[in-house]
């Protein structure tokens, strides 16, 4: 007798797992299909929950999404921890803000404008002198001339979050199908389930595609080196998602050397440092458009080390504990793709680019039909589809 | 009935394994005691066999040792490969020379003097223009102004060498005791064997201490963080060996980007790149005096990446495949410590600092009583002992 679920999520990253968990909490029989859950972009992510410090002039819709999801994080973390049988502190959730620092005159001017823009929007952002920055973070380089503190920005350890999600799913009786999805099953124009590679179809009333960088249609598939997109969809139903490579480095310290996330622009490239309670320091992240390339390269590491040293010279004393590269699912407008797409029975929850961890609570709520319809509209897959 | 051997080597690095193998080839019943053979400095070593390019004014004795051992390498490699049931190419032995390059006027002047010194000694060294350097190695930075080619310098993959030594030892019936040596056993003032931690003594007519950075007496033990030296020796019998940390990085390339070893001085620090036949490129090496610290640090990696980029900008495209730190056994005069020491029945074969792989064939011969007595005299442990 074939398996059948209310909801089948394809893709077990932080987005897919959150969607399935929220559905299960809502009483649905849910399943997740992924040959290697929590091993992609979520595994590489640093876990900044920083909508304010990442705000830019052209991206107010993204800011709205980020603020809405950041507001959900405390309850998301509390419920997740409870469901997983853990404490909130096991997720390494911290809310000490993000300190954005500047070195040169150009950086200072840009920071000034950003702070004016943020405070104009009523966002909790505060301009600091170099001295004030170093009072907050004594390990900062003496050459830091000023900064902006986004006081409500937070962070979390994505690896602990996905581990907790997997534990919560198990306790909620959600089925984890460790296999690759090959094709959507359709019947009378409606999606009815998913056929795994070399297996029998799994039936579902609704299928959510949450396959991150591997969600793209031909326009965004990264070219000939890209893996085959899922089969069974009409042309144009897959969104223009492309892989955006990011390399990060984890350093080990006997105790935390920073009290909050620190970011800055060095030689024109952005770098950020995310502290963990156990002293680990995550340094990220490069942005490279290289198709489905997940090699950690000498050049990527060199950039991270060069820039991190510039911000916090003391990092040179820390031990290297991990290097990893992940593929963010980028979209043309940097906004995620969430909502019904193509044939009935199919939803998308992908394209979160740099913001998958931040936007997981909001995405899960939107997929559960619980959230501001305006926000869902911002994320609609239809914005990329050709008019009929 | 207790075990008894003609020769018991304490320490299973490239030196200890070579000594035991040579002894077994000479017909002795040999054994090696090491809880984790081939895991220390030999595992971290890059494998340059470069006595000429490393020549300096004050170190002519070391140069003599290096040249004598380099001359032994081809037959050592051939015999080792045969004994291990492998081909010589499995050791990744290459003899394309070392190219030492210079960037600034100071480097050029130093290189000029070095070349004059080397050719004055009749060594095979040739001055090259920047253009000639790039003709030899097209991946070199355009800013390279000149170089010196040490034409007979060679290289080898130390990991493949120790793996072959272990295979050869097994085929020769040499016993590998995977346990830690706790104390020397003595009887009537003579060393009679070794007592392992928590085990029964193993008897031997001769014991060779080849414990690398862990060979030091109190004067060289690296201080309070150092492991306990082997017990059972009279004060002063252990040589003043200290740990000198080196960090290296291995990069992966689809095919070799260099045809020979390349070294240079960048911002006052030395860096070298050793090619492997399979495209791997080993980048080394820092020199740090930090006691028994084997952490790979952000600062160490940063130096390696910065300097390697300067020599060969294309390394940035390569994938990072490994990082490792090892402890070289340094001595006050940079010369190894080989020969009888302290009570009868005990030999030392340690203190090889940066030259363990290069000097392994010579060291094995000297320990087997086969080699120039003048060279053995250069290495004598007695040079560090107080006159009675």
């Amino acid at each position: 007798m074939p398996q059948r679920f209310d909801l089948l999520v394809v893709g077990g990253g932080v987005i897919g797992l959150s969607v399935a968990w929220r559905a299960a909490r809502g009483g649905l029989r849910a399943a997740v299909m992924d040959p290697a859950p929590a091993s992609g972009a979520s595994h590489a992510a640093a876990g900044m929950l920083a909508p304010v410090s990442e705000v830019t002039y052209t991206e107010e819709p993204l800011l709205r999404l980020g603020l809405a999801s950041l507001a959900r994080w405390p309850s998301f973390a509390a419920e997740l921890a409870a469901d997983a049988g853990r404490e909130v502190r096991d997720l390494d959730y911290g809310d000490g803000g993000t300190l954005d620092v500047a070195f040169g005159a150009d950086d200072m001017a840009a920071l000034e404008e950003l702070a004016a823009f943020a405070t104009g929007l009523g966002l909790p952002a505060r301009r600091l002198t170099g001295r004030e920055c170093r009072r907050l973070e004594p390990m900062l380089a003496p050459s830091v001339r000023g900064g902006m503190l986004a006081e409500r920005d937070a962070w979390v350890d994505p690896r602990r979050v996905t581990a907790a999600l997997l534990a919560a799913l198990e306790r909620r009786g959600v089925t984890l199908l460790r296999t690759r999805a090959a094709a959507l099953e359709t019947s009378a124009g409606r999606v009815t389930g998913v056929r795994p590679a070399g297996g029998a179809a799994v039936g579902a009333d609704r299928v959510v595609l949450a396959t991150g960088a591997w969600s793209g249609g031909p326009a965004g598939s990264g070219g000939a080196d890209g893996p085959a997109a899922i089969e069974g969809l009409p042309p144009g139903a897959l969104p223009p998602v492309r892989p955006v490579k990011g390399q990060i480095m984890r350093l080990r310290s006997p105790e935390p050397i920073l009290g909050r996330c620190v970011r800055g622009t060095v030689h024109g490239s952005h770098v950020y440092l995310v502290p963990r309670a156990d002293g680990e320091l995550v340094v990220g992240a490069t942005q490279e458009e290289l198709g489905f390339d997940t090699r950690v390269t000498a050049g990527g590491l060199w950039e991270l080390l060069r820039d991190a040293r510039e911000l916090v010279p003391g990092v040179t004393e820390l031990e290297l504990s991990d290097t990893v590269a992940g593929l963010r699912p980028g979209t043309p407008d940097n906004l995620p793709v969430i909502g019904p797409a193509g044939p009935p029975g199919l939803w998308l929850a992908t394209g979160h680019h740099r913001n998958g961890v931040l936007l997981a609570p909001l995405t899960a709520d939107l997929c559960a039909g619980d959230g501001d319809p305006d926000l869902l509209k911002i994320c609609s897959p239809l914005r990329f589809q050709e008019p009929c």
Side-chain angles (χ1 to χ4, degrees), chain A:
Chain A
M1 175 156 165
Q3 286 179 292
R4 178 143 203 101
F5 299 94
D6 298 325
L7 180 78
L8 173 55
V9 181
V10 180
V14 70
I15 294 296
L17 296 176
S18 296
V19 167
W21 173 58
R22 183 73 173 79
R25 280 178 66 89
L28 297 187
R29 270 199 77 211
V32 175
M33 187 179 290
D34 193 319
S39 66
S42 308
H43 185 71
M48 284 179 77
L49 310 177
V52 173
S53 75
E54 298 226 341
V55 67
T56 63
Y57 295 99
T58 56
E59 293 188 338
E60 284 194 51
L62 183 58
L63 175 63
R64 286 183 64 192
L65 298 176
L67 290 173
S69 204
L70 180 64
R72 281 166 166 78
W73 253 104
S75 59
F76 182 88
E79 289 164 16
L80 174 58
D83 252 25
R86 305 175 185 200
E87 306 288 333
V88 173
R89 67 164 180 273
D90 294 333
L91 306 177
D92 226 332
Y93 177 80
D95 58 3
T98 302
L99 179 60
D100 210 330
V101 299
F103 294 87
D106 290 358
D107 297 350
M108 284 295 289
L111 199 70
E112 201 70 68
E113 284 188 36
L114 185 65
F117 176 68
T119 50
L121 291 173
L123 300 175
R126 191 152 57 91
R127 275 284 284 112
L128 302 178
T129 63
R131 185 184 298 253
E132 287 169 330
C133 289
R134 278 184 292 278
R135 201 172 302 141
L136 273 184
E137 294 294 346
M139 298 292 280
L140 275 178
S143 49
V144 165
R145 284 181 54 187
M148 181 187 95
L149 179 65
E151 295 170 281
R152 305 232 186 101
D153 278 2
W155 63 86
V156 78
D157 183 344
R159 297 184 183 179
R160 288 168 174 257
V161 170
T162 51
L165 281 165
L166 286 168
L169 290 182
E170 189 173 356
R171 289 163 62 119
R172 288 265 170 193
V174 173
T175 302
L176 185 59
L177 303 158
R178 291 182 180 267
T179 177
R180 190 177 70 78
L184 291 172
E185 293 276 304
T186 52
S187 169
R190 188 183 166 79
V191 169
T192 56
V194 176
R195 184 164 47 74
V202 180
D205 291 344
R206 189 198 279 183
V207 172
V208 177
L209 273 190
T211 42
W214 290 266
S215 306
S221 72
D225 63 334
I230 197 165
E231 290 172 28
L233 273 174
L238 286 173
V241 170
R242 70 186 195 284
V244 181
K245 179 177 172 180
Q247 303 190 39
I248 68 158
M249 178 175 76
R250 288 175 178 236
L251 304 176
R252 193 179 292 141
S253 170
E255 50 194 47
I257 67 168
L258 295 177
R260 57 189 50 72
C261 294
V262 171
R263 30 180 300 158
T265 308
V266 184
H267 305 299
S269 70
H270 299 282
V271 65
Y272 52 76
L273 294 88
V274 181
R276 304 264 178 254
D278 65 359
E280 192 179 60
L281 190 71
V282 185
V283 183
T286 67
Q287 288 207 64
E288 301 158 89
E289 306 261 357
L290 291 169
F292 289 90
D293 171 2
T294 52
R295 299 175 311 136
V296 172
T297 63
L301 266 190
W302 181 74
E303 276 181 38
L304 293 175
L305 288 164
R306 177 197 61 187
D307 298 350
R309 267 180 90 248
E310 204 86 27
L311 253 66
V312 179
V315 297
T316 51
E317 303 303 320
L318 305 189
E319 182 176 9
L320 181 78
S321 64
D322 190 23
T323 59
V324 63
L327 298 174
R328 310 178 188 92
T331 62
D333 56 8
N334 289 337
L335 289 167
V337 183
I338 306 168
L346 178 68
W347 269 53
L348 300 180
T350 182
H352 290 75
H353 198 202
R354 301 166 55 83
N355 299 296
V357 180
L358 169 62
L359 297 180
L362 176 67
T363 303
D365 281 356
L366 291 175
C367 287
D370 173 17
D372 184 342
D374 279 354
L375 297 182
L376 191 57
K377 203 170 160 197
I378 290 173
C379 306
S380 170
L382 303 176
R383 71 188 190 274
F384 298 119
Q385 293 180 3
E386 300 286 324
C388 299

